[in-house]
C-alpha cells in the first residue's frame, strides 16, 4: 500500500515530533488535536526544531519551507478522512485512546491504516476498539522523534502481514530503523528502560544516593548519555508511572511495583520538565536537584 497523507492525533511532544519527521520526509501531514492551544504552538515548535536542524547542517532553509508547507492542523476528526495512515499519539491512557479510535472511525477510508504510538498498552486490546484490527499496529517512535533512529513495530493478534510490511518499509523510507516487538506489556524498550528508571527512584527513596549522585554514577559508570532521573524528567513522571502500572498489572510481578516516591511526585504535579519540576527544579537558569 502506498502512503501519501499521514494523520497525527495529538499535538503534544510526541505528536509534534512525529509530524515533523513525516513532513521532513516528504509526506503531507494533518496534525489534529482537540485543544486549540496545543495546535497554535505545534507548528511553531516544529519551526524551531527545524531551525536547529539547519544549524547542524541536517536541513536547509528551502527544505524547511517546503516541509512546513506540508503540515495542516485540524481540531476535529473529520479532517483526517483522506489520510492513508493515522498515528494516534495522545496521552498514555487506554480509555482515552479507545475514545479517539471510536471518534475517527466514521471518517476513515476503507484502506486507511490505524496505528498507536503507545509505549506500553496492548495493541490487541486497542485494535479491538476499531473496525479494522487487521489494519492496526503499534507504531512506537522514540522521544525526540526527529532525532532518535528507532521505531518499534508491534503486531496485535489480528494484524495482517500486508500492514506490517507496509509500515516496516515506511520506517525505512523515513531513514529510521524498525524493531519488531511482540505484544507484551511495554514491548522491548520500555520493558527494559522503565524498570531501570523505577529502580533508580527506589535508590533515591531508600537514601542510597542523592539525585546528583545517582545520575552521575550512571552517566560515568555505565556510559549512559543522561542519568535515569534526568531521563525520567524528560519522559514525564506521569508517563513513567503509567508504564510501570501497565507492567505491574500486565505481568503480575512485584518487581514492577512503582516506587512510592514516583507516585508522590506525580500526585504533587511534579511531572518533570513539562511541569518545570520533577527530580530537578527547572525554574531557574540551571536545573537543581529537588532531593
Amino acid at each position: 500500500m502506498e502512503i501519501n497523507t499521514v494523520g497525527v492525533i495529538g499535538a503534544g511532544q510526541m505528536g509534534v515530533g512525529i509530524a515533523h519527521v513525516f513532513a521532513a520526509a516528504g509526506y503531507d501531514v494533518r496534525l489534529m488535536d482537540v485543544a486549540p492551544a496545543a495546535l497554535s504552538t505545534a507548528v511553531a515548535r516544529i519551526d524551531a526544531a527545524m531551525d536547529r536542524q539547519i544549524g547542524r547542517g541536517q536541513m536547509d532553509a528551502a527544505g524547511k519551507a517546503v516541509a512546513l508547507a506540508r503540515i495542516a492542523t485540524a481540531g476535529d476528526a473529520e479532517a483526517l478522512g483522506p489520510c492513508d495512515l493515522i498515528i494516534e499519539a495522545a496521552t498514555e491512557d487506554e480509555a482515552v485512546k479507545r475514545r479517539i479510535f471510536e471518534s475517527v472511525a466514521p471518517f476513515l477510508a476503507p484502506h486507511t491504516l490505524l496505528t498507536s504510538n503507545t509505549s506500553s498498552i496492548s495493541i490487541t486490546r486497542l485494535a479491538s476498539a476499531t473496525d479494522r484490527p487487521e489494519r492496526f499496529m503499534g507504531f512506537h517512535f522514540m522521544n525526540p522523534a526527529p532525532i532518535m533512529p528507532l521505531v518499534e513495530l508491534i503486531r496485535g493478534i489480528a494484524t495482517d502481514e500486508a500492514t506490517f510490511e507496509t509500515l516496516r518499509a515506511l520506517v525505512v523510507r523515513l531513514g529510521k530503523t524498525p524493531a519488531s516487538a511482540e505484544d507484551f506489556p511495554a514491548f522491548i524498550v520500555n520493558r527494559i528502560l522503565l524498570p531501570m528508571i523505577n529502580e533508580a527512584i527506589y535508590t533515591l527513596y531508600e537514601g542510597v544516593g542523592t539525585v546528583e549522585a545517582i545520575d552521575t554514577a550512571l552517566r560515568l559508570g555505565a556510559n549512559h548519555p543522561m542519568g535515569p532521573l534526568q531521563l525520567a524528567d524528560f519522559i514525564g513522571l506521569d508517563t513513567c508511572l503509567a508504564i510501570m502500572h501497565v507492567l505491574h498489572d500486565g505481568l503480575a510481578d512485584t518487581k514492577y511495583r512503582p516506587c512510592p516516591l514516583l507516585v508522590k511526585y506525580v500526585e504533587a504535579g511534579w511531572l518533570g520538565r513539562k511541569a518545570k519540576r520533577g527530580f530537578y527544579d527547572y525554574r531557574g537558569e540551571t536545573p537543581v536537584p529537588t532531593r
Side-chain angles (χ1 to χ4, degrees), residues 90-173:
T91 186
E92 193 68 356
D93 182 309
E94 184 169 345
V96 170
K97 293 179 186 296
R98 282 174 167 268
R99 287 196 296 271
I100 287 171
F101 291 126
E102 289 167 0
S103 71
V104 302
F107 307 109
L108 301 182
H111 72 274
T112 302
L113 301 183
L114 272 180
T115 67
S116 175
N117 186 59
T118 179
S119 52
S120 61
I121 298 169
S122 167
I123 299 304
T124 297
R125 285 204 310 270
L126 290 176
S128 72
T130 76
D131 64 344
R132 58 195 70 207
E134 71 284 354
R135 292 192 294 281
F136 189 102
M137 269 190 63
F139 204 41
H140 182 213
F141 286 77
M142 305 296 114
N143 186 28
I147 295 173
M148 299 294 280
L150 182 73
V151 179
E152 280 184 315
L153 299 177
I154 308 99
R155 280 180 274 203
I157 195 170
T159 306
D160 64 27
E161 190 65 21
T163 297
F164 174 78
E165 290 299 337
T166 295
L167 292 178
R168 187 192 62 78
L170 178 59
V171 171
V172 173
R173 288 200 298 274

Side-chain angles (χ1 to χ4, degrees), residues 29 57 86 139 211 220 257 265-266 275 278:
V29 176
I86 302 291
F139 204 41
V211 168
L220 302 184
R257 183 172 71 95
Y265 269 64
V266 173

Side-chain angles (χ1 to χ4, degrees), residues 7-19 29-35 38-39 42 45-46 74 80 86-91 96-97 100 117:
V8 179
I9 302 174
Q13 187 174 35
M14 288 307 303
V16 166
I18 292 167
V29 176
R30 299 190 179 197
L31 178 60
M32 179 257 175
D33 199 296
V34 294
L39 287 176
R45 290 166 62 190
I46 295 171
L80 302 177
I86 302 291
I87 305 169
E88 172 274 315
T91 186
V96 170
K97 293 179 186 296
I100 287 171
N117 186 59

Side-chain angles (χ1 to χ4, degrees), residues 168-290:
R168 187 192 62 78
L170 178 59
V171 171
V172 173
R173 288 200 298 274
L174 291 174
K176 297 187 179 294
T177 300
S180 181
E182 293 300 317
D183 188 18
F184 280 83
F187 319 129
I188 294 173
V189 173
N190 285 322
R191 171 77 177 263
I192 297 167
L193 177 63
L194 264 296
M196 184 201 75
I197 289 175
N198 195 53
E199 192 63 27
I201 300 169
Y202 266 115
T203 305
L204 177 66
Y205 178 60
E206 294 167 2
V208 180
T210 63
V211 168
E212 185 176 12
I214 292 166
D215 277 352
T216 298
L218 269 292
R219 281 198 307 269
L220 302 184
N223 201 28
H224 291 186
M226 66 173 71
L229 302 176
Q230 181 187 6
L231 179 57
D233 276 357
F234 182 75
I235 293 169
L237 302 191
D238 52 341
T239 300
C240 292
L241 180 58
I243 295 170
M244 289 309 302
H245 279 312
V246 168
L247 282 166
H248 191 227
D249 295 344
L251 298 172
D253 192 322
T254 56
K255 73 180 180 180
Y256 299 116
R257 183 172 71 95
C259 179
L261 184 61
L262 173 59
V263 175
K264 184 179 291 187
Y265 269 64
V266 173
E267 290 176 342
W270 291 20
L271 307 181
R273 280 186 168 273
K274 61 187 175 185
K276 303 297 184 184
R277 276 193 294 188
F279 292 110
Y280 293 85
D281 189 325
Y282 299 92
R283 294 174 295 177
E285 290 186 9
T286 303
V288 177
T290 54

